[in-house]
């Protein structure tokens, strides 16, 4: 308890002005923690905390690089996000596949969405240039939408001769080899996300990020307290779990688990919140964070990814990985 109290007292100057000393003297340390928690769970706290941050490309607790691909104008930019600010590090023209959502293997379309750069490697085929970065297509959202295909890369031009298909690829993103090598110098693929859009780039607002963070923390609180009714209100009517489980089956499973009233320790850290490009122009976000979960019957420590949708100031989870 002493360690927890010290952490929250240290955090208190960052919060809205409250007399935590008086709360402590009157009601003890648990009341201080309760008061600070109530503050952190509010959207207004996050609006104030984020007011001077550039969140157009999302919100990230740690430094991250975004390879932003504009399919319409055929341009790639590398954007650095650090300490709430953004900076353009690189820009190049590229060639891409056909417009539209990628749906099937062989449709020659470059996907629209947010993807991890999973691997840096030398292609076996010299037609693809000296270097390539593979993308995590299809991601979970793609898979649940029944989209298929694979082998979506950022790569170069042929090492022998010239391209015969200058204006298109088979769904990849390609740039001239000398520029590709400069791109390689700028990025660290292990902390880079590919952000691929068409027509208009979606931008986040401070209000969007405040709604999401306060929503995620309130969702965690209902989970920690086994408040099943409040917990299930955070799920979208079109929700699917990573394995395709429907919302109704998910509700039944969670009701059975929550009925045990187990004590749980749940901690979230290292948030990555990215506006998710989509041709329907829905307000979608990819939310990833490190989850540390411990209960008597189950333990988990690792990366958690949610896809959420905003309806005004209400956040709903529609895919959970």
């Amino acid at each position: 308890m002493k360690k927890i109290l010290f952490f929250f007292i240290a955090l208190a100057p960052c919060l809205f002005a409250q007399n935590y000393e008086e709360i402590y003297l009157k009601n003890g340390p648990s009341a201080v923690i309760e008061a600070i928690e109530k503050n952190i769970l509010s959207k207004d706290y996050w609006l104030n905390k984020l007011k001077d941050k550039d969140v157009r490309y999302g919100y990230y607790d740690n430094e991250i690089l975004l390879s932003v691909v504009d399919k319409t104008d055929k341009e790639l930019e590398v954007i650095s996000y650090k300490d709430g600010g953004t900076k353009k590090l690189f820009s190049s023209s590229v060639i891409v596949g056909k417009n539209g959502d990628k749906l099937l293997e062989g449709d020659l379309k470059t996907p629209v969405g947010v993807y991890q750069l999973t691997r840096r490697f030398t292609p076996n085929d010299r037609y693809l240039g000296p270097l390539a970065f593979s993308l995590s297509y299809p991601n979970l959202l793609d898979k649940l939408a029944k989209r298929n295909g694979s082998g979506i890369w950022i790569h170069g031009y042929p090492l022998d001769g010239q391209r015969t298909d200058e204006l298109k690829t088979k769904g990849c993103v390609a740039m001239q080899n000398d520029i590709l090598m400069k791109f390689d110098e700028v990025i660290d693929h292990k902390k880079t996300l590919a952000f691929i859009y068409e027509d208009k780039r979606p931008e986040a607002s401070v209000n969007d990020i405040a709604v999401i963070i306060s929503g995620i923390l309130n969702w965690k609180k209902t989970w920690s307290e086994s408040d099943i009714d409040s917990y299930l209100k955070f799920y979208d009517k079109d929700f699917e779990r990573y394995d395709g489980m429907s919302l109704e089956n998910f509700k039944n499973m969670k009701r059975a688990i929550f009925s045990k009233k187990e004590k749980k320790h749940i901690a979230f850290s290292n948030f990555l919140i990215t506006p998710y490009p989509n041709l329907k122009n829905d307000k979608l976000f990819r939310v990833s964070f490190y989850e540390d979960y411990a209960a008597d019957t189950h333990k988990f420590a690792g990366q958690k990814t949610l896809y959420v949708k905003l309806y005004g100031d209400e956040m709903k989870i529609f895919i959970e990985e």
Side-chain angles (χ1 to χ4, degrees), residues 101-102 111-118 135-152 193-196 241-242 274-278 284-287 305-307 318-321:
D101 272 326
K102 182 167 185 63
V112 171
V114 176
Y115 302 95
Q116 294 171 287
L117 272 62
T118 56
L135 305 188
S136 60
Y137 176 88
N139 61 27
L140 183 59
L141 187 153
D142 296 316
K143 290 174 183 176
L144 293 178
K146 310 302 182 188
R147 298 170 187 160
N148 61 34
S150 61
I152 303 299
L193 291 176
F195 180 103
I196 306 173
R241 203 173 68 155
Y242 66 91
T274 311
Y276 197 91
N278 65 100
L284 308 184
F285 289 80
R286 177 187 185 270
V287 181
T305 300
L306 307 173
Y307 293 89
F318 72 97
I319 293 176
E320 182 172 344
E321 190 165 0

Side-chain angles (χ1 to χ4, degrees), residues 100-116:
D101 272 326
K102 182 167 185 63
L103 302 174
L104 301 169
E105 179 81 41
D107 65 10
L108 307 182
K109 295 179 180 178
T110 303
V112 171
V114 176
Y115 302 95
Q116 294 171 287

Side-chain angles (χ1 to χ4, degrees), residues 72-83:
T72 303
D73 290 340
K74 297 180 175 58
E75 184 177 18
L76 182 150
E77 296 178 335
V78 176
I79 304 295
S80 167
Y81 181 100
K82 184 178 181 181
D83 298 330

Side-chain angles (χ1 to χ4, degrees), residues 226-292:
S226 295
D227 181 354
I228 187 63
D229 291 333
S230 298
Y231 175 83
L232 292 176
K233 287 178 181 177
F234 285 97
Y235 287 86
D236 192 77
K237 60 181 177 59
D238 296 322
F239 169 80
E240 277 190 87
R241 203 173 68 155
Y242 66 91
D243 55 2
M245 179 183 286
S246 68
L247 177 60
E248 196 57 39
N249 289 336
F250 179 79
K251 285 181 176 180
N252 293 335
M253 179 195 70
K254 287 295 184 180
R255 287 192 179 101
I257 294 171
F258 279 35
S259 67
K260 298 175 184 177
K261 299 294 181 182
E262 285 185 303
K263 284 189 175 181
K264 309 180 190 74
H265 165 80
I266 308 173
F268 296 161
S269 60
N270 191 22
F271 278 93
L272 298 89
I273 302 174
T274 311
Y276 197 91
N278 65 100
L279 296 184
K280 293 181 180 179
N281 293 319
D282 289 333
K283 218 160 196 183
L284 308 184
F285 289 80
R286 177 187 185 270
V287 181
S288 182
F289 50 88
Y290 187 84
E291 177 187 314
D292 187 356

Side-chain angles (χ1 to χ4, degrees), residues 5 9 13 56 67 99 125 149 159 163 175 213 247 290 294 306:
L5 180 61
I9 292 297
R56 291 172 298 162
S67 290
N99 285 343
D125 186 347
L159 294 172
R163 295 190 69 94
M175 64 184 81
I213 297 178
L247 177 60
Y290 187 84
L306 307 173

